[in-house]
Amino acid sequence: MEKANYKIAVVPGDGIGPEVVREGLKVLEVACKAEGVDYETATFDIGGERYLRTGETLHDSVLEELKQFDAIYFGAIGHPDVMPGVLERGILLKLRFALDLFVNLRPVKLYPGVECPLKDKTPDDIDFVVIRENTEDVYALEGAAFQPNTENEVAIQPAIYTRRGTERIIRYAFELASKRALERGKPAKVTLVDKANVMTVGHGLWRRVFEELAKEFPEVETEALYVDAAAMEFVLHPERFQVVVTTNLFGDILTDLGAAIQGGIGIAPSGNIHPGKVSMFEPVHGSAPSIAGKGLACPLAAILTAALMMEHLGEAKVAQRIENAVAKALQTGKIRSLEAGKMGMSTQEVGDLVASLV
Ligand code: IPM
Ligand code: MN
């Protein structure tokens, strides 16, 4: 069989993006060598620095170029000198929408050796995945202002939900729950998180689609929680979750909470996925400009993000190697904290440690 030679587009981006991506690529290289997997990378200069220099966020021609790759490995974007929204909408959300990356997959996993902020919770209790819808909700439309900056100002910020969009993300969650349950020898479960008691129209659609699809997956246990209760349950009873499926905005908020309970945003990876198409992988954290370039950022999120990318490409062994190396590194006790600046090691030293354990 001919060996794949993956083409990976690398977008280091702004702030701590470049330094954590460097460590991710370092670990990826060792893991791919060990498994005999070939790949090539091309680095793209996209982000706030470039925007300030050229006025360009993400040109359509660059988007077309990116579509020729097997995957995109993304650091972070965000710049203190750029107004909020410009880079987010112009780059990150544009990529999610244009590539129709409808799944935002965010594992919440407490690794042994990581300090958990929740009392009495162990790695057995915190191991689930949040499937965040990634193309609709309040993110999809920019909204409208009526008579802005006057006394009559009206701001309209609509949320949209389509049946097709709702169905494909919920179906993805059910399929993932079945797969994970088989792998773990546990019963499958999907938890829907919404606010159907208030957003009766939009989240009413989500509830109906969820109930319809549940019939197609009789082997999967289902439950539905309102988002306020779900936030509480993330903290009190994380062990009840296996696969959580939720809307775009709630998923955004809940996955920062998810990151916190797994030990911090420094270890939370994510994938923006369209099955079978070019997908984009990025740490949950942002560009953290205040600590950029100082070697203070934790690269584990970026490293685990590389693992998610390889799993998506069908290279489960490479992914497992990377994850195992991270787990081993955490168990050495050498990494004192996952909080930026408190690791007791530099960004590069953490990367070196993980790479040495691949
Ligand atoms: C995330 C981020 C983005 C989001 C921002 C930067 C637009 O917070 O990926 O979670 O809201 O989706
Ligand atoms: Mn977020």
Side-chain angles (χ1 to χ4, degrees), residues 6 21 25-26 51 73 84 88 119 121 133 144 149 156 168 172 183 205 230 232 236 265 277 289 298 311 330:
Y6 298 106
V21 156
L25 290 174
K26 181 190 287 173
Y51 171 74
Y73 184 52
E88 290 85 343
K119 192 164 138 270
K121 297 298 176 191
E133 200 290 320
N149 304 309
I156 301 177
R168 66 182 180 175
Y172 185 94
E183 286 164 6
L205 169 64
M232 188 172 69
L236 294 180
I265 200 102
K277 287 199 188 169
C298 178
E311 192 173 336
L330 289 165

Side-chain angles (χ1 to χ4, degrees), residues 241-281:
F241 298 115
Q242 288 174 23
V243 172
V244 172
V245 65
T246 190
T247 55
N248 204 343
L249 183 61
F250 292 172
D252 176 45
I253 300 164
L254 283 176
T255 52
D256 267 32
L257 182 54
I261 66 170
Q262 72 178 121
I265 200 102
I267 194 173
S270 87
N272 298 269
I273 296 171
H274 186 122
K277 287 199 188 169
V278 54
S279 297
M280 179 176 86
F281 297 82

Side-chain angles (χ1 to χ4, degrees), residues 205-223:
L205 169 64
W206 273 70
R207 282 272 162 133
R208 276 183 282 123
V209 170
F210 187 67
E211 280 156 24
E212 282 167 27
L213 284 181
K215 293 192 193 117
E216 280 184 42
F217 296 87
E219 75 283 7
V220 180
E221 185 195 334
T222 59
E223 69 176 352

Side-chain angles (χ1 to χ4, degrees), residues 302-357:
I303 293 170
L304 287 172
T305 293
L308 278 187
M309 174 171 74
M310 295 318 285
E311 192 173 336
H312 174 77
L313 291 174
E315 300 295 343
K317 284 189 179 160
V318 176
Q320 198 58 61
R321 249 181 207 278
I322 296 175
E323 200 190 344
N324 289 348
V326 168
K328 276 190 226 161
L330 289 165
Q331 279 178 299
T332 61
K334 288 184 185 159
I335 306 171
R336 259 185 256 137
S337 161
L338 301 183
E339 224 176 292
K342 296 192 182 159
M343 298 185 294
M345 304 173 95
S346 68
T347 307
Q348 189 185 334
E349 284 166 342
V350 174
D352 288 342
L353 174 64
V354 177
S356 74
L357 294 168

